[in-house]
Short mmCIF file of all heavy atoms in Angstrom, two decimals:
data_model
loop_
_atom_site.label_atom_id
_atom_site.label_comp_id
_atom_site.label_asym_id
_atom_site.label_seq_id
_atom_site.Cartn_x
_atom_site.Cartn_y
_atom_site.Cartn_z
N ALA A 22 98.24 168.87 85.83
CA ALA A 22 98.20 168.64 84.38
C ALA A 22 96.78 168.86 83.83
O ALA A 22 96.59 169.43 82.77
CB ALA A 22 98.68 167.24 84.05
N THR A 30 91.48 176.45 68.44
CA THR A 30 91.24 177.88 68.35
C THR A 30 90.08 178.13 67.40
O THR A 30 90.03 177.58 66.31
CB THR A 30 92.49 178.59 67.80
OG1 THR A 30 93.60 178.24 68.62
CG2 THR A 30 92.31 180.09 67.79
N THR A 38 96.48 176.88 68.71
CA THR A 38 95.86 176.20 69.83
C THR A 38 95.49 177.26 70.85
O THR A 38 96.02 178.38 70.81
CB THR A 38 96.80 175.14 70.45
OG1 THR A 38 96.04 174.35 71.36
CG2 THR A 38 97.95 175.79 71.19
N VAL A 68 109.67 179.36 74.34
CA VAL A 68 109.40 178.19 73.51
C VAL A 68 109.68 178.54 72.06
O VAL A 68 109.07 179.47 71.51
CB VAL A 68 107.94 177.72 73.68
CG1 VAL A 68 107.69 176.45 72.89
CG2 VAL A 68 107.62 177.52 75.15
N VAL A 141 84.08 148.89 61.71
CA VAL A 141 84.68 148.79 63.04
C VAL A 141 85.85 147.80 63.02
O VAL A 141 86.90 148.05 63.61
CB VAL A 141 83.64 148.39 64.10
CG1 VAL A 141 84.30 147.98 65.40
CG2 VAL A 141 82.69 149.54 64.35
N LYS A 146 91.75 147.24 63.06
CA LYS A 146 92.97 146.85 62.36
C LYS A 146 93.90 148.05 62.21
O LYS A 146 95.11 147.94 62.45
CB LYS A 146 92.64 146.33 60.96
CG LYS A 146 92.21 144.89 60.90
CD LYS A 146 92.17 144.47 59.43
CE LYS A 146 91.30 143.25 59.23
NZ LYS A 146 91.12 142.95 57.80
N GLY A 178 58.59 122.20 42.74
CA GLY A 178 59.98 121.90 42.37
C GLY A 178 60.76 123.08 41.83
O GLY A 178 61.81 122.90 41.21
N GLU A 219 43.86 129.50 69.73
CA GLU A 219 43.71 128.12 69.24
C GLU A 219 44.02 128.05 67.76
O GLU A 219 44.74 127.16 67.29
CB GLU A 219 42.27 127.63 69.48
CG GLU A 219 42.00 127.21 70.91
CD GLU A 219 40.52 126.89 71.14
OE1 GLU A 219 39.68 127.35 70.32
OE2 GLU A 219 40.24 126.21 72.10
N ASN A 246 67.92 116.98 54.05
CA ASN A 246 68.37 117.25 52.69
C ASN A 246 67.69 118.49 52.10
O ASN A 246 68.34 119.31 51.46
CB ASN A 246 68.10 116.04 51.79
CG ASN A 246 69.14 114.96 52.00
OD1 ASN A 246 70.25 115.25 52.48
ND2 ASN A 246 68.81 113.73 51.67
N GLU A 276 74.52 128.31 63.40
CA GLU A 276 73.75 127.97 64.59
C GLU A 276 73.56 126.47 64.70
O GLU A 276 73.60 125.90 65.78
CB GLU A 276 72.39 128.67 64.55
CG GLU A 276 71.60 128.45 65.81
CD GLU A 276 70.17 128.98 65.73
OE1 GLU A 276 69.92 129.85 64.88
OE2 GLU A 276 69.34 128.53 66.52
N ILE A 304 66.13 125.41 82.86
CA ILE A 304 67.34 125.85 83.55
C ILE A 304 67.47 127.37 83.48
O ILE A 304 67.25 127.96 82.42
CB ILE A 304 68.57 125.16 82.94
CG1 ILE A 304 68.45 123.65 83.15
CG2 ILE A 304 69.86 125.69 83.56
CD1 ILE A 304 69.57 122.84 82.57
N VAL A 362 72.86 140.09 79.46
CA VAL A 362 72.72 138.77 80.09
C VAL A 362 73.81 137.83 79.58
O VAL A 362 74.46 137.15 80.37
CB VAL A 362 71.32 138.18 79.81
CG1 VAL A 362 71.24 136.74 80.29
CG2 VAL A 362 70.24 139.03 80.48
N THR A 471 78.76 164.08 51.43
CA THR A 471 78.42 162.76 50.87
C THR A 471 79.70 162.00 50.51
O THR A 471 80.78 162.58 50.44
CB THR A 471 77.61 162.90 49.57
OG1 THR A 471 78.44 163.52 48.57
CG2 THR A 471 76.35 163.73 49.77
N ILE A 494 107.00 167.33 36.39
CA ILE A 494 107.26 168.06 37.63
C ILE A 494 107.48 167.06 38.75
O ILE A 494 106.68 166.15 38.94
CB ILE A 494 106.08 168.97 38.00
CG1 ILE A 494 105.92 170.07 36.94
CG2 ILE A 494 106.29 169.59 39.39
CD1 ILE A 494 104.73 170.96 37.17
N VAL A 533 83.08 158.92 63.30
CA VAL A 533 84.15 159.87 63.62
C VAL A 533 85.12 159.98 62.44
O VAL A 533 85.53 161.07 62.05
CB VAL A 533 84.91 159.42 64.90
CG1 VAL A 533 86.13 160.29 65.14
CG2 VAL A 533 83.98 159.45 66.10
N ARG A 543 87.14 169.08 52.70
CA ARG A 543 86.71 170.48 52.66
C ARG A 543 87.90 171.41 52.75
O ARG A 543 88.01 172.40 52.02
CB ARG A 543 85.74 170.76 53.81
CG ARG A 543 84.34 171.07 53.31
CD ARG A 543 83.28 170.99 54.36
NE ARG A 543 83.66 171.53 55.64
CZ ARG A 543 83.27 172.71 56.10
NH1 ARG A 543 82.51 173.49 55.37
NH2 ARG A 543 83.62 173.10 57.29
N CYS A 552 95.34 178.10 46.33
CA CYS A 552 96.74 177.96 45.95
C CYS A 552 96.84 177.20 44.64
O CYS A 552 96.29 176.10 44.54
CB CYS A 552 97.51 177.17 47.01
SG CYS A 552 97.39 177.85 48.66
#
Side-chain angles (χ1 to χ4, degrees):
Chain A
T30 305
T38 191
V68 184
V141 167
K146 278 190 200 173
E219 281 173 340
N246 282 338
E276 185 188 339
I304 297 178
V362 172
T471 65
I494 295 176
V533 172
R543 246 164 41 103
C552 305

